[in-house]
Amino acid sequence: MNEWLKKVGAKIKELWSKWKPIQKVIIIGIILVVIVVIIVTARLSGKPSSVRLFNDKVSDTTTRTQILTRLDQAGIEATTDNDGYIYVENKDVKRQAVILLNDDNLLPSNIDIWSDYFDRSWSTTDADQNVKLKEKKRLEIERFIESYPDIYDATVTIEMPDNTLFSETQNPVTCSVILKTKSGSTLLTDRKRILGIQKAVLAGIEGLKEDYLIITDEEGNQINDFAGMADSDAVDIVSKQQKLILRRETEIRAKILDAFRKTYTTDRCRDVLVSVDMDMSKKTSESKVYSGIEMKKDNPDTPWDDSEYRDYLPISQQTVTKVWKGTGYNPEGPAGTEGENPPVYSDMTNVVGESSETGLTQNNALNEKTTQEITSPKIDRVTVSVNIDGTWSLVRNKETGKYELDDEGWRKREYKSLTPYEISEAEKVVKGAIGYNRDRGDQVYVTNIAYDRRDEQHAEDLLYFAKEKRTIVIICILAGIVFFLIAFILFRVISKEIERRRREREAKLLAEQQAARERALWDAKDDGMEVTMSVEETRRMELQENAITMAKEHPEDVAMLIRTWLMEE
């Protein structure tokens, strides 16, 4: 193989050297074009195919944005082009997206979700076509409903009567749908999703009206009878209202516990009772308030309020002055009779009289503010009760420093309750946490009731006494170990001393015996006697001489050897 590659390479080099420059450029261009074609083909083949979500374009930008946002929230990847068409990955994703948008009522009014499913063929008669179209509609609607994740089987029955001459005798189009849901599914009680299924079926069957569409569960109970679900809806509303109150109470309880557990620890603040009274009725209130005219605003840089107000501001005014002058009036009786004035005023007739009248009309301006408020729901009152435990401390004997015991043998403890100042500060914390409003009738109670901690304290005492017992046992064991170690050391010292003395006696005895032998030998030599030594004595003499020689030549090694022997013994 290597030889063949070498030959091919040599051949290519030979041809390359023979080619002209223009030929080389052409070959290189062809190779580049082939590489580009391969890359483009690979990319196009690797690009996932996409299908249109709707056959019609979505022209409204707001609607298109809502659809894309909802699909993105559901994890469905969707794209759009400049013409307004929306594309998804494949048909399965398309069906899932249509179901989602249908349930959320986000399908545009001009979109028919069945437009690409029911195509009419021109190769058959109307009767055959109607039969095939009816069957295809039934299968597609079943397949569409079974695409819901909670439904594992759907049975659709469509009745499409023949057309009659008069509309009064025309039978309506009817349809029944039987749903079989998976275990644990809540679809049969979810009004929103049932309405989505009903809307899809009505859109898929021409001429079908809502009154003639029956959707039931597998036991035959109708689930799209929304008119008969008014009582159930009322129960659902009450349940939601109760959940809202419970959630509010839980939020307040968690906020208070979080504040107190950081101050008094979790074990001292366990009980927080919260009661929230809420008015769920919808109320509309309108109020009109008149206020003075602000002439000067308050300066925020000053610690006092230096604003100026007037009760009113004149807009226009009119002053009217009337002056009247004339003769005095002398009432007289009928003609030919005397006047009715008293005699005192009789001489005052024909006296000139004068009167004046002054009037002022002024229009004032006031600040008028009209407020219209719709409240639902509204918190009527919040009641909070918090219990905080005090602290327990162990009592020690001042002389011995040990814990004192009660009559039952447990450690004695003293309880320290909260001070009035601490309770007052705790009430302030609770009021701040709930947004206390006195006018609303809110109530806050902070109590200091001691928790029953006898079981906890007894458990702590048992652990303490057990620890003391373990300490005593450990001390006794350590004392015994120390005693045995000291006894063992003394035994070893005494044993070594006895052994040392025994060896000294044996060495002394051997030395005396050796000295006696040597004296006997020297005496025999002095007497001229021939002495014959045994093999053992000869061997002992040789070893002794060798040892003496070794000690003289290598004294350090001999000392180390003797030291080692002594350590081993």
Side-chain angles (χ1 to χ4, degrees), residues 477-514:
I477 292 173
L478 292 176
I481 293 173
V482 171
F483 173 77
F484 282 112
L485 287 175
I486 294 173
F488 179 74
I489 292 172
L490 291 175
F491 175 76
R492 290 289 297 172
V493 171
I494 295 172
S495 299
K496 286 185 177 182
E497 183 64 22
I498 293 172
E499 183 66 23
R500 185 182 64 80
R501 293 182 179 183
R502 184 184 63 79
R503 286 198 301 270
E504 287 181 353
R505 287 195 302 271
E506 290 179 355
K508 184 177 180 181
L509 181 59
L510 290 175
E512 291 177 354
Q513 292 177 357
Q514 182 64 26

Side-chain angles (χ1 to χ4, degrees), residues 73-186:
Q73 292 175 354
I76 299 176
E77 185 177 355
T79 58
T80 182
D81 57 11
N82 297 329
D83 297 332
Y85 290 100
I86 300 175
Y87 295 88
V88 293
E89 186 176 357
N90 50 48
K91 290 186 177 181
D92 294 335
V93 177
K94 172 184 176 179
R95 191 183 300 273
Q96 181 183 357
V98 170
I99 290 175
L100 179 65
L101 298 176
N102 182 61
D103 290 344
D104 292 345
N105 200 21
L106 292 177
L107 292 176
S109 58
N110 63 325
I111 298 298
D112 182 9
I113 61 175
W114 304 104
S115 59
D116 55 344
Y117 292 108
F118 308 144
D119 295 330
R120 181 184 178 93
S121 174
W122 297 95
S123 60
T124 56
T125 62
D126 290 342
D128 294 336
Q129 182 66 31
N130 290 334
V131 173
K132 291 181 179 179
L133 182 61
K134 173 184 174 182
E135 184 63 19
K136 187 172 182 180
K137 283 184 178 181
R138 187 185 68 81
L139 294 175
E140 289 297 337
I141 293 174
E142 286 183 354
R143 190 177 294 111
F144 177 83
I145 297 175
E146 290 173 355
S147 299
Y148 279 77
D150 293 346
I151 299 175
Y152 71 88
D153 184 64
T155 302
V156 178
T157 303
I158 304 174
E159 293 294 336
M160 302 180 69
D162 296 333
N163 295 328
T164 59
L165 181 61
F166 300 101
S167 59
E168 292 81 1
T169 59
Q170 177 68 45
N171 293 324
V173 179
T174 62
C175 177
S176 65
V177 181
I178 302 175
L179 303 179
K180 295 181 180 180
T181 59
K182 298 179 181 178
S183 177
S185 172
T186 59

